[in-house]
């Protein structure tokens, strides 16, 4: 049965478009928002969408990305597929490995000392353990010379430069300023749009 009106996306309420699902013959809708990959049967019942078949797509870099039926990236299946498609040992000597595709993997939150921020290239998000604890702030660079400095100079994306002691623990994740991590411990960043 074909629906006359496209259902809204269950995640962002954007209008959806009907898509053909290979070998299924079922009515499936996909969100039309550029940053949303959500799929739905459009019934309004979230439990129905859990039965959507998984699928894969090729990203701009040519890497195959696996998705759960609802449109969330299946990191485990994507990594397994990438490992299967890796070059043979004989090919490794001749051909250098291509750079991994950006955007495929969710950034990982790592625990470091504040002084190690000076070694993070291209900035990211930092959450410094302090009293009271600070939230996530996006930084563009950090400078620390243990022979000359007693504090780490952190430049945040809003232009503010803050000096912090080098030894407290911090969480750091490589991600752009258009997203923000929601986690408070090491592991997947669970980024959300700002």
């Amino acid at each position: 049965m074909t629906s006359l009106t496209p259902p809204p996306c269950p995640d962002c309420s954007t209008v959806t478009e009907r898509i053909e699902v290979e070998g299924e013959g079922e009515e499936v809708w996909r969100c039309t928002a550029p940053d949303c990959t959500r799929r739905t049967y459009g019934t309004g019942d979230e439990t129905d969408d859990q039965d959507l078949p998984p699928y894969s797509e090729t990203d701009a870099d040519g890497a195959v990305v696996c998705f759960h039926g609802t449109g969330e990236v299946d990191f485990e299946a994507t990594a397994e597929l990438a490992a299967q498609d890796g070059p043979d040992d004989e090919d490794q000597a001749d051909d250098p490995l291509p750079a991994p595709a950006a955007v495929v993997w969710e950034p990982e939150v790592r625990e470091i000392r504040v002084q190690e921020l000076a070694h993070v290239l291209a900035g990211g998000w930092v959450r410094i353990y302090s009293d009271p604890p600070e939230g996530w702030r996006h930084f563009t660079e950090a400078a620390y010379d243990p022979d000359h400095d007693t504090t780490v100079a952190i430049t945040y994306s809003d232009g503010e430069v803050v000096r912090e002691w080098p030894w407290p623990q911090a969480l750091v994740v490589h991600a752009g300023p258009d997203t923000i991590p929601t986690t408070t411990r090491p592991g997947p960043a669970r980024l959300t749009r700002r």
Side-chain angles (χ1 to χ4, degrees), residues 6 9 11-12 14 22 24 39 56 58-60 64 77 83 89 91 93-94 107 109 121 124 128 133 139 180:
C9 174
D11 289 348
C12 67
T14 303
E22 232 176 275
E24 289 298 319
R39 288 182 168 197
S56 61
T58 303
D59 69 7
V64 176
D89 289 340
D91 296 338
D94 299 335
V109 175
L121 300 176
I128 300 172
F139 74 101
I180 186 168

Side-chain angles (χ1 to χ4, degrees), residues 110-161:
R110 294 182 298 124
E111 192 169 48
I112 63 171
R113 296 246 180 234
V114 171
Q115 64 189 5
E116 295 173 50
L117 289 174
H119 303 292
V120 175
L121 300 176
W125 287 93
V126 65
R127 181 183 177 118
I128 300 172
Y129 297 151
S130 58
D131 189 21
E134 295 182 31
W136 287 101
R137 288 192 71 185
H138 191 269
F139 74 101
T140 54
E141 65 179 331
Y144 176 66
D145 181 354
D147 296 330
H148 299 97
D149 300 330
T150 58
T151 58
V152 180
I154 304 170
T155 305
Y156 291 102
S157 57
D158 61 4
E160 181 181 10
V161 177

Side-chain angles (χ1 to χ4, degrees), residues 21-56:
V21 177
E22 232 176 275
E24 289 298 319
E26 297 174 321
E27 188 171 85
V28 178
W29 302 87
R30 182 178 185 156
C31 182
T32 58
D35 59 344
C36 183
T37 58
R38 183 67 155 91
R39 288 182 168 197
T40 182
Y41 279 128
T43 62
D45 185 357
E46 283 292 313
T47 57
D48 289 346
D49 289 347
Q50 297 307 315
D51 296 330
L52 282 162
Y55 65 100
S56 61

